[in-house]
Amino acid sequence: MAHILIIEDDKDIANLLQLTLKHKYEVTIAHDGKEGYAYIKDNTFDLILLDLMMPYINGETLLGEIKAHTSSKVIIITAKHELEHKVNLLTLGADDYITKPFYQEEVLARVMVQLRNVEEMNNVHIHRGLKLDEEKREVNLNNQIVQLTNSEFDILSVLMKNPEVPLSKQKIYNALRNGTYVGDDNTISVHVSNIRKKFNQITDESYIKTVWGIGFMLE
């Protein structure tokens, strides 16, 4: 199930958006830019619905952070109708926009289009000689099949969705949705070590880099 983050300080609008989407998607709500940034830093989302006028961190600033550090699709929720404003949002990296007031049917349709694009793009991930097929749950390295456990596959999938982006162990753990992360939990490190050992049986090239003080990164 796709995971959507709603960043909207108007609680009535946020609740309406959640009501519109919750039957098809997993939905998380943040009520200001600071809370939204915290969610983005520690979790991965398939799509983000982003309001612009918010306390602490405004939407345009947050849009830059999202596009710089994640692969999430972003739909802007804006009360401005001017063409110049819409063009500026798309130039900044927004994938789509919805103007207020909006119809629930329009929101759902636009979200479905963006997530359909994500699903089509994200079934197969390729990075250098590494290929991961999510539908088949199959990994190939230099045209050789790599046998991974379910946990190893899921961790590698998270890394491949965010190539060359350092991810904390907490962010990886949260993406797997296996419960609450405990700071001294060594589970992610053990799985990454096992993935590396299996890769090393095929190639001497490094694919997963340890970023000290942060976590791991696909390189």
Side-chain angles (χ1 to χ4, degrees):
M1 182 181 290
H3 195 185
I4 296 173
L5 174 64
I6 298 168
I7 309 178
E8 167 64 69
D9 64 327
D10 186 315
K11 293 185 178 180
D12 290 336
I13 293 177
N15 290 337
L16 178 61
L17 290 169
Q18 183 183 43
L19 181 65
T20 303
L21 301 169
K22 69 179 184 178
H23 298 295
K24 292 180 67 70
Y25 308 107
E26 180 179 355
V27 179
T28 299
I29 295 178
H31 289 297
D32 59 59
K34 186 177 179 181
E35 185 182 11
Y37 180 74
Y39 274 121
I40 293 162
K41 188 171 65 173
D42 293 332
N43 301 273
T44 57
F45 297 95
D46 299 290
L47 184 143
I48 297 171
L49 290 171
L50 177 63
D51 183 31
L52 291 182
M53 304 299 291
M54 294 185 297
Y56 306 117
I57 304 176
N58 66 48
E60 290 187 4
T61 300
L62 204 51
L63 175 61
E65 291 295 320
I66 293 167
K67 288 301 177 179
H69 301 293
T70 81
S71 57
S72 302
K73 294 286 186 179
V74 179
I75 298 178
I76 298 294
I77 307 291
T78 177
K80 297 183 179 180
H81 293 254
E82 296 84 357
L83 176 61
E84 182 180 355
H85 176 68
K86 296 175 183 177
V87 170
N88 183 54
L89 292 174
L90 296 173
T91 302
L92 290 173
D95 298 284
D96 199 356
Y97 58 84
I98 298 170
T99 53
K100 301 177 183 178
F102 51 77
Y103 292 99
Q104 290 174 272
E105 295 84 357
E106 179 189 8
V107 172
L108 183 58
R110 289 182 180 273
V111 166
M112 288 175 66
V113 167
Q114 292 301 323
L115 291 177
R116 187 187 308 137
N117 293 338
V118 169
E119 289 169 2
E120 290 172 356
M121 293 170 56
N122 285 356
N123 278 340
V124 177
H125 308 278
I126 299 175
H127 183 77
R128 293 163 48 198
L130 185 61
K131 179 180 177 181
L132 182 145
D133 188 320
E134 288 197 284
E135 187 172 344
K136 296 180 180 177
R137 290 192 68 85
E138 183 177 277
V139 174
N140 282 266
L141 178 58
N142 295 344
N143 295 318
Q144 297 185 50
I145 292 179
V146 183
Q147 299 292 343
L148 299 180
T149 67
N150 286 334
S151 293
E152 292 164 2
F153 182 93
D154 291 341
I155 290 169
L156 182 61
S157 177
V158 173
L159 293 171
M160 291 195 72
K161 289 176 183 176
N162 300 273
E164 300 180 1
V165 176
L167 300 178
S168 68
K169 287 189 282 187
Q170 179 176 356
K171 189 166 187 176
I172 295 170
Y173 196 96
N174 289 348
L176 304 180
R177 298 166 201 166
N178 283 338
T180 304
Y181 176 77
V182 179
D184 59 355
D185 193 319
N186 201 38
T187 304
I188 300 297
S189 297
V190 171
H191 287 312
V192 169
S193 177
N194 289 336
I195 296 170
R196 284 172 170 158
K197 289 176 183 176
K198 292 176 181 180
F199 284 3
N200 288 341
Q201 294 174 1
I202 298 173
T203 180
D204 292 330
E205 294 184 47
S206 175
Y207 276 84
I208 302 177
K209 178 181 180 180
T210 298
V211 183
W212 297 107
I214 299 178
F216 301 102
M217 177 179 74
L218 192 72
E219 60 176 344

